[in-house]
Amino acid sequence: MLNQFGNIPRYVPGLTGIITGPFIHGSLQHYLSNIFPLCIFSYLLLQYGIHRYLLVTVWITLLTGILVWLFARSATHIGVSGVVYGYFGYLLLAGFLSRKIKLMIISLVVGFFYGGLIFGVLPSSPYVSWESHLFGFISGLVAARLWAKPRV
């Protein structure tokens, strides 16, 4: 019913899905599988400050959505997992780039407990948007490269 608001690649009306797609889920199970890591990663990302959290969230949401719209297979892409994977990528790399012990520990903990997420960037099921996972992860890595280094 709400899938029409998903991100539909290379379909001009589907452009709205760049913004609305992350808010739509196909089922309660889909929602729950996204909300728990989203909350945990949000909390960890907030250790960088609210401004950085908002900046990284907007960046990941927009860049992931645009890349999915441009390059993903023809399907309706819904769910916030692209943002989750973006946070995952950011948290893995940003701590080391920051050179701050507390943030490096966060990177290690995320890598240890959630490292298996990396396999989600590979095609596995026709109903899973691995493209959102891949582009989200890349967007998070780029965000870390852009904003995680200490200011000199």
Side-chain angles (χ1 to χ4, degrees):
M1 173 162 55
L2 293 175
N3 284 356
Q4 66 188 3
F5 298 108
N7 189 340
I8 305 168
R10 295 166 303 285
Y11 176 63
V12 174
L15 278 167
T16 58
I18 291 171
I19 302 299
T20 58
F23 295 99
I24 301 167
H25 290 80
S27 66
L28 180 60
Q29 180 185 356
H30 182 210
Y31 173 77
L32 293 175
S33 69
N34 279 255
I35 197 66
F36 290 118
L38 181 70
C39 290
I40 292 166
F41 289 168
S42 291
Y43 174 76
L44 294 173
L45 187 53
L46 280 165
Q47 303 313 300
Y48 290 82
I50 188 73
H51 180 262
R52 178 77 51 84
Y53 173 79
L54 294 172
L55 178 68
V56 168
T57 299
V58 169
W59 169 267
I60 289 170
T61 302
L62 293 177
L63 186 58
T64 300
I66 290 166
L67 291 172
V68 166
W69 192 85
L70 287 172
F71 300 113
R73 67 195 143 104
S74 294
T76 302
H77 300 263
I78 57 172
V80 76
S81 60
V83 175
V84 169
Y85 272 80
Y87 287 174
F88 173 61
Y90 183 88
L91 290 167
L92 277 179
L93 183 58
F96 297 107
L97 294 177
S98 75
R99 297 192 179 115
K100 295 181 180 175
I101 296 296
K102 173 185 169 184
L103 301 177
M104 284 194 256
I105 291 170
I106 288 173
S107 290
L108 289 171
V109 168
V110 167
F112 182 79
F113 286 105
Y114 290 97
L117 281 179
I118 197 67
F119 295 107
V121 303
L122 302 172
S124 61
S125 165
Y127 303 106
V128 174
S129 179
W130 63 271
E131 299 96 331
S132 292
H133 299 173
L134 175 63
F135 294 134
F137 184 70
I138 291 169
S139 298
L141 294 175
V142 171
R145 190 77 177 103
L146 289 172
W147 297 302
K149 283 191 174 184
R151 292 189 180 139
V152 182

